[in-house]
Amino acid sequence: MKQEFKDRTEGIAWASMIPDGNQPPLYEPPAEFLKATGQSWPPKGVTWPVPPIMSTEQVGTTGPALAPVT
């Protein structure tokens, strides 16, 4: 199985779908968990809240404009 995967994926360039500079999604753990584990929120080096990712794609039409049905 490993050899087949290696054969099929040889020469393929893998790329992340997450744009450079974006952080992976993070979810704030419950306060009880943070207290029990001695952790703090947000972790060091993380901007919180995470800035939203907004799409810049324009959506095309979904069909002809139809008159409203009354």
Side-chain angles (χ1 to χ4, degrees):
M1 189 182 314
K2 288 182 181 182
Q3 185 61 43
E4 180 183 353
F5 177 78
K6 184 178 177 183
D7 294 342
R8 288 181 179 223
T9 58
E10 189 173 358
I12 294 177
W14 299 95
S16 174
M17 295 180 70
I18 300 173
D20 288 340
N22 286 324
Q23 297 174 155
L26 297 172
Y27 302 97
E28 186 172 1
E32 304 85 39
F33 175 81
L34 293 172
K35 184 177 180 182
T37 59
Q39 298 180 45
S40 64
W41 190 259
K44 292 179 183 177
V46 172
T47 304
W48 191 261
V50 177
I53 299 174
M54 301 300 286
S55 174
T56 57
E57 280 186 53
Q58 295 294 322
V59 179
T61 63
T62 58
L66 301 174
V69 177
T70 57

